[in-house]
Amino acid sequence: KAGVTQTPRYLIKTRGQQVTLSCSPISGHRSVSWYQQTPGQGLQFLFEYFSETQRNKGNFPGRFSGRQFSNSRSEMNVSTLELGDSALYLCASSGQPNTGELFFGEGSRLTVL
Amino acid sequence: GNSVTQMEGPVTLSEEAFLTINCTYTATGYPSLFWYVQYPGEGLQLLLKATKADDKGSNKGFEATYRKETTSFHLEKGSVQVSDSAVYFCALSVEGAQKLVFGQGTRLTINP
């Protein structure tokens, strides 16, 4: 069974640009969550989608957005990039709602110059 | 608010040593508690979980007991191996939500 797949794995952007990250969950999983991991702030929750609906949102500015498609694949977008957005962005899927049992991808490492 | 505090790392031990990584939490409601592990070059994996007070989660020789009276969920293993070298994260979720609150992580290195 394939795991959670995130693309791209690495990318470099400059301030002011926007970026879109993609996540394919484990087959059959309908819940997809996104987390930001940085050395200073650790792992922080961005948002969670279930059946194309955003169920939870973390404390991030509106520049961070996401969506989920009918096949459960998800994308997150960050607009007007800032240096502080440099981070590892992790996607996680779950087949059992409301359990906290997540399967994580390896992440997309974003560097903003 | 909800928060998780882990012992600061890095932690370095010799093979077959006893391991404890401390984790305490603050939460509204009745949280579920988790330990996730991140091996080098891999994504986070769920190691074990406990959903109510006095529950003990266990997996791969690791154990943690949900202590409501001390708001703790310390991770223990009796005899560590080199392959246990990784970063360990304590986490909680409240009221069954998929939104996890993570501790800062503890980097563990086991020397042969």
Side-chain angles (χ1 to χ4, degrees), chain A residues 9 21-22 45 56 63 71 74 108:
Chain A
R9 290 292 313 280
L21 308 178
S22 179
F45 173 79
N56 278 297
R63 301 185 297 106
N71 62 357
S74 177
S108 293

Side-chain angles (χ1 to χ4, degrees), chain B:
Chain B
N2 302 317
S3 66
V4 175
T5 302
Q6 285 182 238
M7 66 184 285
E8 297 221 5
V11 174
T12 302
L13 296 172
S14 298
E15 207 166 21
E16 299 184 2
F18 184 85
L19 168 72
T20 300
I21 301 179
N22 290 336
C23 171
T24 57
Y25 67 89
T26 302
T28 55
Y30 301 95
S32 294
L33 301 174
F34 307 84
W35 278 99
Y36 277 81
V37 58
Q38 189 173 31
Y39 297 103
E42 299 184 15
L44 276 79
Q45 303 174 23
L46 177 63
L47 181 60
L48 52 83
K49 65 177 281 189
T51 58
K52 61 183 187 296
D54 299 325
D55 267 1
K56 177 185 283 188
S58 61
N59 186 25
K60 299 182 181 180
F62 290 90
E63 293 183 339
T65 301
Y66 189 141
R67 300 287 187 200
K68 186 179 178 183
E69 63 275 15
T70 54
T71 62
S72 65
F73 193 55
H74 304 321
L75 182 68
E76 297 182 335
K77 186 173 185 182
S79 177
V80 292
Q81 306 299 314
V82 172
S83 58
D84 294 327
S85 298
V87 181
Y88 292 81
F89 293 91
C90 185
L92 66 81
S93 72
V94 178
E95 296 175 355
Q98 294 290 51
K99 173 182 176 179
L100 292 179
V101 176
F102 285 90
Q104 285 293 102
T106 302
R107 182 175 298 278
L108 173 67
T109 301
I110 307 300
N111 294 321

Side-chain angles (χ1 to χ4, degrees), chain A:
Chain A
K1 197 173 189 181
V4 176
T5 304
Q6 293 187 243
T7 57
R9 290 292 313 280
Y10 303 91
L11 65 167
I12 300 173
K13 294 286 187 178
T14 57
R15 279 181 297 173
Q17 288 187 311
Q18 66 93 27
V19 66
T20 299
L21 308 178
S22 179
C23 173
S24 293
I26 291 172
S27 178
H29 286 191
R30 295 165 63 191
S31 169
V32 174
S33 305
W34 289 89
Y35 289 81
Q36 182 195 64
Q37 186 176 22
T38 60
Q41 299 299 316
L43 279 155
Q44 293 186 287
F45 173 79
L46 281 157
F47 23 66
E48 185 222 349
Y49 289 87
F50 181 82
S51 293
E52 303 179 66
T53 300
Q54 186 180 88
R55 292 205 302 183
N56 278 297
K57 189 177 191 304
N59 296 324
F60 280 81
R63 301 185 297 106
F64 291 80
S65 63
R67 58 178 175 168
Q68 186 180 32
F69 302 95
S70 59
N71 62 357
S72 294
R73 191 177 69 85
S74 177
E75 289 181 346
M76 67 162 284
N77 184 278
V78 187
S79 63
T80 319
L81 284 166
E82 301 176 359
L83 296 179
D85 297 334
S86 295
L88 181 66
Y89 290 88
L90 294 169
C91 171
S93 72
S94 177
Q96 300 180 34
N98 303 324
T99 62
E101 296 184 26
L102 306 181
F103 293 80
F104 283 84
E106 294 180 357
S108 293
R109 184 167 295 280
L110 170 66
T111 301
V112 182
L113 302 177

